[in-house]
Amino acid sequence: MTDRTSPSPSAPSGPPDPPEPVAGALTTAPPRRPLRQLLAASVGNAVEWYDWYAYTFLATYIAGQVFPKSSGNSLVPLLSTFAVFAVGFFMRPVGGLLMGAVADRHGRRAALTVTILLMGGSSLLVGLTPTYAAVGVLAPVVLVLARLLQGLSVGGEFAASTTFLVESAGPGRRGLFSSFQYVSTSAGQLAASGVAAALVSTLGDGQMDGWGWRVPFVLGALLSLVGFWIRRGAYETRSAEQRAAERPGLFDALRHHPRESLLICGITAGGTLAYYTWTSYLPTYAELNAGIDKADALVAGTIALAFFALLQPVGGMLSDRFGRKPLLLFFGLGFALLSVPLLRSLGSSFASLLLVQCAGMVLLTGFTSISAAVNAEVFPARVRAAGIGFPYSLTVAVFGGTAPYVGTLFKETGHAGLFPWYVAVLCLVSSVVYLRLPESAHKELDR
């Protein structure tokens, strides 16, 4: 084996990009410059989720300009429903598969640069979407296209950044690096909320309806260029041997690793439902079922989300020391036992909602802080990104993306009390999967 510090004189030089390893160097070691690696993944991921959530926070203003209530065209309300509720989540599994394949065939860094440029372009497209008054039905068509591209990008981002983060970690630090997946996701969500709130409080309704709602999306496009620049200087984590090997086909992960693909679904199902319930739907659930004031619900949600982001590295470090299974079971069994009493204890006060939301965030950290590491440790390096991307994004679309609608449906049919049981049962199912998982925290990662 060639000494790392004294490579063979006959070894051919690598590409001109300095981070690329030279032939003959050890390729099983984690990449250099770990802080740069974390920054490349985290900043890009935060920008991705800023763009994604900005649409959610400003959907009311967008609808007023692009989907008028009285248009005389039956296509408009149909396209409105499709764009707002379905397109983004529908495209995430496709993005996970396609961008995961790019990451496996051409490298993680290549996929990361593609996803952030795709998100920047789609964000700019949202910001420049013409009004219905100006171009008619073309306006919602443009917005639907933008959401298609955003969903494709977000699905691909998880596949690429998950593998990139975990493969960038040094020995005994995969859990810690994994935790920054949700640190950056929460940062993007908080930034989108803050920018939207600042604009709404500064501009009048006329200005927000006219041009103010476009500002966050143009800003998101500019931030994407910053993320692109940072990612271009990151170290490629896919080893020289993997890059030289035969490139995997689009469906190789599903065809050759069906058990692992189903395992990703089982690992993710309870976690994604609990995540979207506690981070996105809980304020609305409290308004509908406990009568809490809307403003109080939004403030409590913001505080809880910041608290959640701070918890993630703690969970990652605990998993590196004590293993993945204890944290996963802490999450799964905790939600299975406490979802119903927590949601039933919601009162109409701010303190009640904040306490319930923060309690859930503590439990949720057992899943979110290490999900990237757990998923990456399931698949071999050759098909890791696509192997994670498709089943994970599909499960999120089926269980996570539908959480608000299932909860609202239970309420409308007079069975609001069933929703907490739905969360509890699905988390119990995932707990069974966690019990059967082999402990992988202290095993060497296939590179």
Side-chain angles (χ1 to χ4, degrees):
M1 181 179 295
T2 304
D3 189 297
R4 179 194 295 270
T5 58
S6 304
S8 169
S10 61
S13 298
D17 185 357
E20 295 289 344
V22 295
L26 292 174
T27 55
T28 55
R32 300 182 296 273
R33 301 183 301 172
L35 292 179
R36 179 64 181 260
Q37 298 293 98
L38 275 179
L39 185 64
S42 299
V43 170
N45 197 48
V47 171
E48 289 266 354
W49 286 99
Y50 164 86
D51 290 337
W52 177 262
Y53 280 113
Y55 181 91
T56 303
F57 293 128
L58 296 166
T60 302
Y61 298 99
I62 297 171
Q65 297 299 307
V66 182
F67 304 109
K69 295 179 181 178
S70 179
S71 65
N73 190 326
S74 61
L75 282 176
V76 174
L78 176 63
L79 284 171
S80 174
T81 303
F82 184 53
V84 175
F85 297 114
V87 169
F89 279 101
F90 170 76
M91 287 301 293
R92 285 176 67 170
V94 179
L97 181 63
L98 294 179
M99 291 297 103
V102 170
D104 288 333
R105 291 170 64 88
H106 303 288
R108 318 312 188 199
R109 187 177 59 180
L112 287 172
T113 54
V114 170
T115 58
I116 199 164
L117 287 178
L118 194 60
M119 179 57 83
S122 58
S123 181
L124 184 61
L125 189 58
V126 173
L128 299 179
T129 298
T131 64
Y132 185 85
V135 298
V137 75
L138 181 61
V141 169
V142 170
L143 190 62
V144 167
L145 175 61
R147 287 298 281 176
L148 280 168
L149 294 175
Q150 282 191 327
L152 190 72
S153 174
V154 167
E157 173 69 17
F158 185 88
S161 64
T162 291
T163 54
F164 181 83
L165 271 172
V166 176
E167 290 173 354
S168 295
R173 301 179 72 185
R174 292 199 300 265
L176 174 61
F177 273 51
S178 167
S179 69
F180 281 85
Q181 183 78 31
Y182 278 91
V183 171
S184 54
T185 297
S186 301
Q189 187 173 353
L190 287 168
S193 175
V195 170
L199 285 169
V200 170
S201 62
T202 304
L203 303 177
D205 288 341
Q207 290 174 308
M208 278 299 299
D209 288 330
W211 57 269
W213 64 270
R214 301 179 185 273
V215 173
F217 300 104
V218 176
L219 177 61
L222 294 175
L223 291 173
S224 296
L225 294 178
V226 176
F228 171 77
W229 176 76
I230 293 173
R231 286 183 164 183
R232 285 289 297 168
Y235 181 97
E236 174 54 57
T237 62
R238 198 164 182 262
S239 71
E241 288 86 350
Q242 289 290 344
R243 292 196 298 275
E246 181 184 356
R247 292 175 176 177
L250 185 62
F251 297 102
D252 273 12
L254 291 172
R255 184 164 54 245
H256 299 302
H257 302 277
R259 179 183 176 278
E260 288 82 355
S261 299
L262 289 174
L263 197 58
I264 295 293
C265 295
I267 290 169
T268 306
T272 190
L273 175 60
Y275 175 77
Y276 279 96
T277 297
W278 248 257
T279 63
S280 300
Y281 180 56
L282 195 58
T284 303
Y285 181 88
E287 291 173 44
L288 292 174
N289 297 282
I292 194 169
D293 179 73
K294 184 175 183 179
D296 286 346
L298 291 174
V299 172
T302 302
I303 294 172
L305 193 62
F307 172 66
F308 173 72
L310 294 174
L311 287 176
Q312 299 312 296
V314 177
M317 288 187 288
L318 287 173
S319 79
D320 284 332
R321 181 166 184 179
F322 300 108
R324 316 289 188 227
K325 288 181 69 171
L327 266 77
L328 289 172
L329 290 170
F330 169 75
F331 152 72
L333 295 178
F335 263 101
L337 294 172
L338 297 176
S339 291
V340 174
L342 281 174
L343 292 177
R344 284 186 175 177
S345 68
L346 277 172
S348 58
S349 69
F350 171 83
S352 170
L353 175 58
L354 183 61
L355 183 63
V356 168
Q357 199 154 13
C358 286
M361 295 302 195
V362 173
L363 295 174
L364 188 58
T365 296
F367 169 78
T368 54
S369 64
I370 59 172
S371 64
V374 172
N375 290 340
E377 289 161 356
V378 167
F379 279 95
R382 181 175 178 271
V383 293
R384 180 172 290 137
I388 294 169
F390 180 72
Y392 173 86
S393 296
L394 180 64
T395 308
V396 169
V398 172
F399 295 106
T402 61
Y405 315 120
V406 172
T408 304
L409 180 64
F410 279 136
K411 174 67 176 179
E412 289 178 351
T413 57
H415 300 94
L418 291 180
F419 183 71
W421 287 103
Y422 171 60
V423 177
V425 169
L426 202 58
C427 287
L428 183 61
V429 170
S430 284
S431 296
V432 175
V433 177
Y434 304 151
L435 278 171
R436 298 179 62 84
L437 273 179
E439 181 55 68
S440 56
H442 307 299
K443 294 181 180 178
E444 185 175 348
L445 185 70
D446 173 54
R447 298 181 188 274

